[in-house]
Amino acid sequence: MKNILEAPFMVETVRTLTNLYRLGWDERNGGNLSVLLDEEEVSQYLDTSCVIRDIPMTFDASAIVGKIFLVTGTGKYFKNVQYDPAHNLGIIKIGEDGRTAKLLWGYTDGGRPTSELPAHLLSHITRLAIDPSHRVVMHTHPTNTIAMTLIHDLSERAITRTLWQMQTESIVVFPEGVAVLPWMACGTNEIGEATAEKLKKERICLWAAHGIYGVGKDLDEAFGLIETVEKAAQLYMLSVNAGIKNGITDEQLKELAGVFGLDYRKEYLD
Ligand code: 2HA
Ligand code: ZN
C-alpha cells in the first residue's frame, strides 16, 4: 500500500483547507469540505473493505451507496489540518442501507464527519445527477460575502445582478447566477435539503449571515467559484458607501455574454 498522506487527493485537500484558513474565511471550526474519491485510486492506499467503525446518518443517502468521500471532521479547525490530517479528516464509504458512513481512515480521536454532512451528501446527490464529472462540495465563511448578505436585498436576482455589476469576471464565471438561502439554523437535514435543492440550478448557494456553498468537478473549480463571488462582494463592500457610479450595465453584460458565448440567466438582466 502507498502512503495515503502522499496521495494527490490528500495533498491537494490539505493545501486547499490551509489556504482557506489563511484567507481568513474559516475561523475556529468554520467551514467544511467533502471530495468524492475514485475507489480504484483509494485502493492504492487503503483496503476499502476494511471498516474501522460505523457512523450512523440521519438522512437518506441511498442514491450514493458505495461511494467514498474525504470529509472534514466536525469541530475540527482548518488551521490544524496540515499538521495532522488523520485527526482532522476522515474517509467514509456510504453503507448499503444509505444511512451509515463506514469509516475507512481518519477521525483518529473518535471523531465524526462535519455537522453539515446532510448538506454535503445531499448536494453531491443533486450535482451527480446533473453532472457525472462533479466531485467537490465546499463550504466556507468568506468575510465580504457574509457582510453583503447583511445589507443587501436577498432576492437571488438582486444579489446576482450586483455581483455581476462589480467586475467583468462575475458573469463569465457564474452565468447561471447565485442561489440564496435566508438565514436558517445550520447542521440540520432541513438546511441540507434546501441547499441541495438550490444547487439544482446554480453551483453557488449563499447562506445569509453564515457563508457560502460552492461545487465543482475538482477543488480548483469549487474554490474558483467561491473566490470570484467573494471578490465581487469585496468590491461591493468597498464601494457601496461611497456610491457605486460605474457598475457594469445590463447592455455591457449582454455584450460580454455575446463575446464569451455565455448561457446566462436571461431573466436577470433588464
Ligand atoms: O462546521 O461551518 O456550518 C462549522 C460550520 C457549520
Ligand atoms: Zn458554516
Side-chain angles (χ1 to χ4, degrees), residues 33-36 64 69-71 117-131 134-138 196 199 215-216:
L33 177 70
S34 60
V35 183
L36 172 58
I64 47 172
F69 296 89
L70 178 58
V71 186
L117 196 64
H120 281 260
L121 295 189
L122 298 174
S123 296
H124 280 292
I125 292 169
T126 293
R127 293 304 307 180
L128 282 167
I130 295 166
D131 173 12
H134 161 84
R135 293 290 176 272
V136 173
V137 175
M138 186 180 288
L199 293 172
V215 297

Side-chain angles (χ1 to χ4, degrees), residues 26 29-32 73-75 114-116 139 141 186-187 207 210 213:
D26 293 284
N29 63 322
N32 26 77
T74 185
T114 169
S115 58
E116 304 295 357
H139 168 61
H141 299 168
C186 60
W207 281 9
H210 184 138
Y213 269 76

Side-chain angles (χ1 to χ4, degrees), residues 48-62:
T48 58
S49 64
C50 181
V51 177
I52 300 169
R53 59 190 151 93
D54 280 0
I55 302 169
M57 304 190 298
T58 56
F59 56 95
D60 179 25
S62 46

Side-chain angles (χ1 to χ4, degrees), residues 69-73 85-92 103-107:
F69 296 89
L70 178 58
V71 186
T72 50
H87 179 97
N88 295 290
L89 306 175
I91 295 180
I92 57 168
L103 183 64
L104 304 183
W105 175 89
Y107 306 144

Side-chain angles (χ1 to χ4, degrees), residues 41-240:
E41 192 181 355
V42 179
S43 300
Q44 299 171 29
Y45 305 92
L46 290 178
D47 176 354
T48 58
S49 64
C50 181
V51 177
I52 300 169
R53 59 190 151 93
D54 280 0
I55 302 169
M57 304 190 298
T58 56
F59 56 95
D60 179 25
S62 46
I64 47 172
V65 164
K67 295 214 182 293
I68 298 178
F69 296 89
L70 178 58
V71 186
T72 50
T74 185
K76 299 297 189 278
Y77 294 22
F78 283 11
K79 168 175 88 68
N80 299 334
V81 174
Q82 61 178 320
Y83 306 111
D84 192 354
H87 179 97
N88 295 290
L89 306 175
I91 295 180
I92 57 168
K93 183 172 186 169
I94 309 305
E96 292 295 330
D97 61 356
R99 288 187 166 264
T100 311
K102 302 204 158 277
L103 183 64
L104 304 183
W105 175 89
Y107 306 144
T108 51
D109 63 346
R112 299 168 47 85
T114 169
S115 58
E116 304 295 357
L117 196 64
H120 281 260
L121 295 189
L122 298 174
S123 296
H124 280 292
I125 292 169
T126 293
R127 293 304 307 180
L128 282 167
I130 295 166
D131 173 12
S133 70
H134 161 84
R135 293 290 176 272
V136 173
V137 175
M138 186 180 288
H139 168 61
T140 177
H141 299 168
T143 312
N144 292 284
T145 304
I146 300 170
M148 189 172 170
T149 70
L150 302 178
I151 63 170
H152 199 279
D153 173 351
L154 288 181
S155 92
E156 291 173 347
R157 184 177 191 273
I159 222 160
T160 297
R161 285 176 58 79
T162 299
L163 293 169
W164 284 354
Q165 288 160 2
M166 292 301 104
Q167 59 181 357
T168 303
E169 284 295 289
S170 287
I171 195 173
V172 178
V173 174
F174 49 93
E176 77 270 46
V178 300
V180 183
L181 280 184
W183 185 89
M184 292 173 75
C186 60
T188 63
N189 289 349
E190 287 69 30
I191 202 168
E193 284 157 13
T195 304
E197 184 61 32
K198 289 290 186 188
L199 293 172
K200 284 181 179 163
K201 277 207 172 139
E202 292 96 355
R203 293 165 298 156
I204 299 159
C205 182
L206 309 190
W207 281 9
H210 184 138
I212 191 168
Y213 269 76
V215 297
K217 66 178 178 348
D218 54 30
L219 286 160
D220 270 356
E221 189 174 79
F223 176 74
L225 278 167
I226 291 174
E227 69 174 338
T228 307
V229 171
E230 169 62 7
K231 180 65 172 280
Q234 182 177 24
L235 293 167
Y236 175 74
M237 295 306 297
L238 283 170
S239 50
V240 66

Side-chain angles (χ1 to χ4, degrees), residues 9-28:
F9 60 77
M10 185 68 70
V11 171
E12 209 192 336
T13 297
V14 172
R15 281 185 188 154
T16 300
L17 294 168
T18 304
N19 184 38
L20 287 165
Y21 172 69
R22 276 280 147 231
L23 285 164
W25 298 351
D26 293 284
E27 71 291 340
R28 200 171 180 274

